[in-house]
Amino acid sequence: MPDQSLTPPPPAGESGHERSVTVTPGAMVTFEGSPARVVSFGRNSEQRLEVLIDTGDGLRRIPTTQFFATLADRPPEPVGASETGSPLLQQLPAQERQRIEDRYRDLLQIRTGSRRGDADGDRERGALSRSYDPEHTTLTERLNLKSRELRDREIPASSVVQLRRQLRAVERDGIEALIHGNRRVGPQRISNVDDEVLEIIGKVLADQPARARLSVKALMTTARAALIHAGIGEDISQYKLRDIVNELSRSLDLHLDAKGRERVAMKPADAYRRRLVSRPGEIVQIDATTTNLHVWAPGVGWQRSTILTAVDVFTRCVLALRVVTGSATSRDVAMLLWDIGRPTITRSGYPYELVHHHGMPTLIVPVLDPDEDPPHPVLGTKPALIPSAIVVDHGREFDCEHLVSACARIDVDVVFCPPRAAHAKGVVESLHNSLREIQSLLAAYKGADVSNHPKGVEDLAALTAQDLRDALWDYILEIYHWQEHRGLTALHDSATPLCPAGVFEAYLESGGEVTVPTDPYRLIQLLSSKSCTVNAYGVNIEGRVYNNATLVALRTHLARGVSGPARRLLVFYDRWDVSRVYTRHPITGEWLCIPRAGDTTDAQMPCSDMFDKAIRTQVIRGDHRPLRPNDAATARAQFVNRWAPERLTDRNEARIRAIEDSRQHDYAHDLQDAPPEFRRLAFGDEPARDGLTARVVPATADSDDILDADLDERDEAVDLDDLEEFDPDTDTSTGRAP
């Protein structure tokens, strides 16, 4: 069923659907959203009128009030045009597409009587207007009626002559005849031509851009000769051949001479330069330029460096800047994209900041005391955002698979400028001219001209690549972002002088929004990638093997089966950190860090050695630091004192005394409440010996009182002189004579 939103409200005098519907036995109606047929009308036992309908699943009796209420609440059936499936129609703006679809429905109603093109179906549903019923009206009557309706609605092109002309065009070419007023647009003009004919003529036209300009007659003769040589296309007329050549030669610029075609080919990026930039980050220009001064590189000495810069076209703000020793690589450009999303500029070089992020998605700065200043000095802040498109040239560091694939993973478009056309990225080129002037103020400047280098300029070099980077950022944050830019004023059509920082601030204050990256794994997606097979020993990246337990468990999903090939795993790796690689779990999608497999027993931190050293430098200042020699000696002396023999003896005696006291207390408490039979078990049935007197000790007495009372009784009742002397020869066990 067509979309009801495509159906305009019926105007005065037009009945897109009938105002009243006559329901008779046998009529088709829509009941509860499904088609049904009225069988008969009757009365029930209470003499109330009912309607018997057939829903397809069975017969149902419902009261007439409910039946007609359902019909009254039912929305009118949509009578829009059928689906056209035209790609040209979908490319039009919504308002223009609606206008063409409405006119197409009007023409369908003139030709068939139904706005859907199905008069019989509308008649069965009761949605066919009687004024356009082809059984009661002619084509001329429907034309005149539709012309009057369109004039009453003040719609242009509503005369009978114009409607008749459009009706013939639609009968011949469909709805596309109403688009732009053309009979046929694009490949639809040659849709009914044999594919082999199109292929042969296409090959002929593909060879023409390298030749001089040919006349149309000569070009058609060449195409006809190719068809005759292939033995096909004899029935194609000259007029049809001209249409085929015209459609297949579009964008080849064969109407120009050879020099004109070369000039057009040199400017394929004009489309982006003519696009209106509407927000920060929509277009970011990136370029690399060599330095005009010598910098010091450890292990190399004095060396020329490369400056990588990213500039936003909307605000002219510098979003990222890197100074690379030697030539820039695709990895440096990928890391420059990562720097675009970082708002804070800190000092460069070890230990302030790691220029290369070895294995870590973000730079972690452990702050031990919140009241203390951060250990990394901050140079300033800049806009941080996610670029939508970057504009680069065809340099080796830009035109490579690594950068293009990385941009595709983070959803960033790459626009390449034509060769020898520096004006295509004039914003970043203008910045580089300013940076060359700033370099001339620093030491070791040798000039841009090779033949004009002064002698001994290398001896003046006192900057490293990181120092030069900090100096350039200092100029950009303090001066460049706040000085007037004439190109920026012209871009925004402003009578007020504008600067990059002011434009960005004004954009935010006026309600603008910027997209800032928050995914810490975005950096990993910018690294080099390789599709690997997971073997029993792990994955192999440039001769290095990486493996762990998680990767071994993935072999159940990725290894080769009996009758199926192995599934490959996309692995990300960094040439500056070969100790680990990264990948995503194919089932859960979580990020995995796979360490390098080897015979060494050394421990591997979850980051590189360089990052580990920076972390330990910060941690050693806090509580988790190793003991100094004096601290260790004092700690050992205190340990000896805590475990000295005399202190250990005192501790053991105190523990034994506490255990005995607890036992005596529990024993006395149990005997106080015990019955006589349990007392006899404890003391026996023998009468007390002469001189022995029993003393009752209260239950509240502690163990010391019980022990003192027992000793006093024994001292009073027993005389030690009356005891027999022990003789070992008589009895070794009891000390008594047999």
Side-chain angles (χ1 to χ4, degrees):
M1 181 177 294
D3 188 0
Q4 191 174 352
S5 62
L6 299 179
T7 305
E14 179 189 5
S15 57
H17 63 282
E18 293 292 343
R19 301 284 183 176
S20 60
V21 180
T22 303
V23 180
T24 59
M28 295 295 299
V29 296
T30 301
F31 181 75
E32 295 181 353
S34 302
R37 183 181 300 275
V38 178
V39 179
S40 63
F41 294 89
R43 296 183 181 275
N44 56 10
S45 59
E46 298 178 357
Q47 299 300 315
R48 293 183 178 180
L49 190 61
E50 292 182 341
V51 181
L52 180 64
I53 61 175
D54 184 5
T55 61
D57 297 332
L59 299 177
R60 291 184 56 183
R61 291 183 180 273
I62 58 176
T64 54
T65 55
Q66 178 183 354
F67 174 71
F68 289 113
T70 305
L71 293 182
D73 295 339
R74 180 175 60 89
E77 293 290 338
V79 290
S82 59
E83 295 294 336
T84 59
S86 172
L88 295 178
L89 185 64
Q90 302 302 322
Q91 296 175 4
L92 298 178
Q95 185 176 2
E96 181 68 14
R97 185 169 61 249
Q98 182 70 34
R99 185 189 66 81
I100 292 178
E101 289 176 347
D102 291 342
R103 176 52 61 95
Y104 182 69
R105 296 191 201 104
D106 292 336
L107 296 175
L108 279 180
Q109 193 172 20
I110 294 174
R111 183 168 59 88
T112 64
S114 170
R115 295 177 65 85
R116 299 187 310 116
D118 185 10
D120 296 335
D122 289 351
R123 187 181 296 108
E124 292 181 0
R125 297 198 331 268
L128 183 63
S129 174
R130 189 176 182 84
S131 301
Y132 288 93
D133 192 344
E135 295 183 356
H136 303 87
T137 58
T138 62
L139 180 62
T140 303
E141 293 174 349
R142 294 194 294 272
L143 267 172
N144 295 330
L145 178 60
K146 181 60 67 176
S147 177
R148 290 195 300 269
E149 291 176 358
L150 296 178
R151 284 199 303 269
D152 294 341
R153 291 156 56 186
E154 298 181 356
I155 296 179
S158 57
S159 65
V160 176
V161 177
Q162 290 171 319
L163 291 177
R164 193 185 298 276
R165 185 185 303 112
Q166 291 179 353
L167 184 61
R168 287 197 299 265
V170 168
E171 289 177 353
R172 180 181 63 249
D173 301 326
I175 193 174
E176 293 173 356
L178 304 176
I179 300 177
H180 303 308
N182 298 329
R183 177 186 175 187
R184 283 285 187 177
V185 180
Q188 285 76 15
R189 300 186 63 178
I190 56 177
S191 58
N192 56 349
V193 181
D194 191 4
D195 294 339
E196 190 175 358
V197 174
L198 298 179
E199 182 179 359
I200 293 175
I201 299 179
K203 291 181 179 179
V204 173
L205 297 177
D207 298 336
Q208 302 305 316
R211 300 178 58 186
R213 181 177 179 179
L214 297 177
S215 64
V216 178
K217 183 181 297 185
L219 192 60
M220 293 180 59
T221 303
T222 305
R224 176 75 69 179
L227 293 176
I228 294 176
H229 181 73
I232 59 175
E234 293 84 356
D235 54 341
I236 296 179
S237 62
Q238 196 72 0
Y239 178 81
K240 189 64 175 180
L241 183 61
R242 182 186 292 270
D243 287 343
I244 298 174
V245 172
N246 183 26
E247 292 298 330
L248 297 182
S249 62
R250 295 185 186 276
S251 75
L252 296 179
D253 297 322
L254 296 181
H255 60 288
L256 302 176
D257 54 9
K259 296 298 182 181
R261 289 196 296 271
E262 292 179 2
R263 288 192 296 268
V264 173
M266 288 179 59
K267 299 179 180 180
D270 284 346
Y272 108 85
R273 295 184 65 245
R274 295 175 181 174
R275 187 171 64 182
L276 180 64
V277 186
S278 59
R279 61 176 178 82
E282 186 172 358
I283 296 179
V284 176
Q285 295 183 4
I286 298 178
D287 193 20
T289 182
T290 56
T291 59
N292 290 333
L293 51 83
H294 288 287
V295 297
W296 174 261
V300 179
W302 314 119
Q303 189 177 9
R304 199 176 188 182
S305 300
T306 303
I307 302 177
L308 279 173
T309 316
V311 182
D312 177 42
V313 175
F314 184 86
T315 62
R316 299 296 198 269
C317 288
V318 180
L319 302 180
L321 183 143
R322 283 192 168 222
V323 178
V324 182
T325 304
S327 300
T329 62
S330 61
R331 185 193 184 278
D332 298 323
V333 181
M335 294 299 102
L336 191 75
L337 295 178
W338 168 256
D339 291 342
I340 292 177
R342 303 177 62 194
T344 305
I345 303 299
T346 56
R347 282 198 59 183
S348 178
Y350 180 82
Y352 302 106
E353 181 193 14
L354 301 180
V355 177
H356 302 289
H357 299 268
H358 295 268
M360 295 300 293
T362 56
L363 181 62
I364 302 175
V365 181
V367 179
L368 306 176
D369 189 355
D371 297 333
E372 295 182 359
D373 296 332
H376 293 190
V378 177
L379 297 181
T381 58
K382 65 173 182 63
L385 44 84
I386 298 178
S388 298
I390 60 174
V391 180
V392 295
D393 54 22
H394 288 274
R396 291 183 300 176
E397 65 272 18
F398 302 116
D399 193 1
C400 61
E401 182 182 359
H402 174 200
L403 181 62
V404 174
S405 59
C407 291
R409 285 191 291 267
I410 63 174
D411 195 18
V412 174
D413 295 337
V414 181
V415 180
F416 287 99
C417 293
R420 299 180 300 278
H423 60 276
K425 46 183 176 60
V427 176
V428 67
E429 294 289 351
S430 176
L431 172 64
H432 286 170
N433 292 334
S434 301
L435 295 183
R436 293 188 185 97
E437 296 179 359
I438 297 302
Q439 294 178 51
S440 64
L441 303 177
L442 302 176
Y445 178 74
K446 55 185 178 55
D449 189 359
V450 179
S451 61
N452 196 24
H453 289 179
K455 294 182 179 180
V457 69
E458 292 84 359
D459 299 335
L460 301 176
L463 297 177
T464 63
Q466 290 80 14
D467 294 334
L468 177 59
R469 179 254 192 193
D470 293 348
L472 296 179
W473 266 123
D474 189 15
Y475 162 74
I476 291 171
L477 297 177
E478 298 295 334
I479 301 176
Y480 184 82
H481 280 177
W482 297 97
Q483 67 182 5
E484 178 184 352
H485 288 247
R486 290 180 296 177
L488 191 60
T489 305
L491 176 67
H492 291 270
D493 193 16
S494 173
T496 304
L498 300 178
C499 63
V503 171
F504 185 74
E505 183 179 358
Y507 172 79
L508 296 180
E509 290 182 354
S510 62
E513 297 179 353
V514 293
T515 305
V516 181
T518 57
D519 184 10
Y521 296 100
R522 186 181 179 91
L523 174 72
I524 298 178
Q525 297 176 344
L526 295 173
L527 300 177
S528 301
S529 61
K530 182 179 180 181
S531 182
C532 303
T533 302
V534 180
N535 300 302
Y537 57 83
V539 294
N540 191 319
I541 303 292
E542 297 182 354
R544 300 181 297 270
V545 178
Y546 301 87
N547 196 9
N548 64 352
T550 306
L551 193 64
V552 173
L554 289 180
R555 295 193 71 247
T556 58
H557 306 286
L558 304 176
R560 182 175 182 177
V562 175
S563 59
R567 297 187 178 95
R568 302 180 70 86
L569 186 66
L570 186 63
V571 180
F572 300 91
Y573 63 96
D574 186 9
R575 66 184 179 91
W576 290 103
D577 182 18
V578 298
S579 61
R580 60 192 54 81
V581 295
Y582 303 91
T583 185
R584 301 196 72 168
H585 197 286
I587 306 300
T588 62
E590 63 179 347
W591 284 97
L592 305 176
C593 180
I594 312 298
R596 186 173 180 179
D599 299 333
T600 179
T601 58
D602 298 337
Q604 279 287 348
M605 295 289 288
C607 55
S608 67
D609 296 338
M610 186 176 182
F611 190 85
D612 185 27
K613 292 178 181 178
I615 291 295
R616 292 174 182 174
T617 303
Q618 306 301 327
V619 173
I620 200 172
R621 302 175 185 174
D623 298 334
H624 303 282
R625 59 176 178 82
L627 294 175
R628 297 182 178 90
N630 294 336
D631 297 336
T634 303
R636 285 194 299 267
Q638 294 175 355
F639 170 79
V640 171
N641 291 333
R642 287 195 304 269
W643 294 94
E646 57 274 11
R647 291 196 175 186
L648 184 61
T649 303
D650 297 341
R651 187 181 297 110
N652 289 337
E653 291 178 354
R655 184 169 62 252
I656 294 173
R657 187 181 301 109
I659 294 174
E660 182 64 22
D661 291 345
S662 177
R663 188 185 65 81
Q664 291 290 344
H665 181 273
D666 295 341
Y667 182 62
H669 184 274
D670 294 341
L671 288 180
Q672 179 185 4
D673 299 335
E677 57 271 16
F678 286 99
R679 290 178 179 270
R680 287 193 299 268
L681 292 175
F683 301 104
D685 295 335
E686 296 181 0
R689 301 178 65 179
D690 296 340
L692 286 178
T693 59
R695 180 181 296 180
V696 179
V697 181
T700 57
D702 56 7
S703 58
D704 294 337
D705 296 339
I706 297 173
L707 184 60
D708 295 340
D710 188 20
L711 293 177
D712 293 341
E713 292 174 0
R714 291 180 181 273
D715 293 341
E716 295 174 358
V718 179
D719 189 2
L720 298 178
D721 296 337
D722 297 337
L723 295 177
E724 298 179 359
E725 187 177 359
F726 171 72
D727 187 2
D729 296 334
T730 58
D731 189 0
T732 59
S733 61
T734 61
R736 297 178 182 179

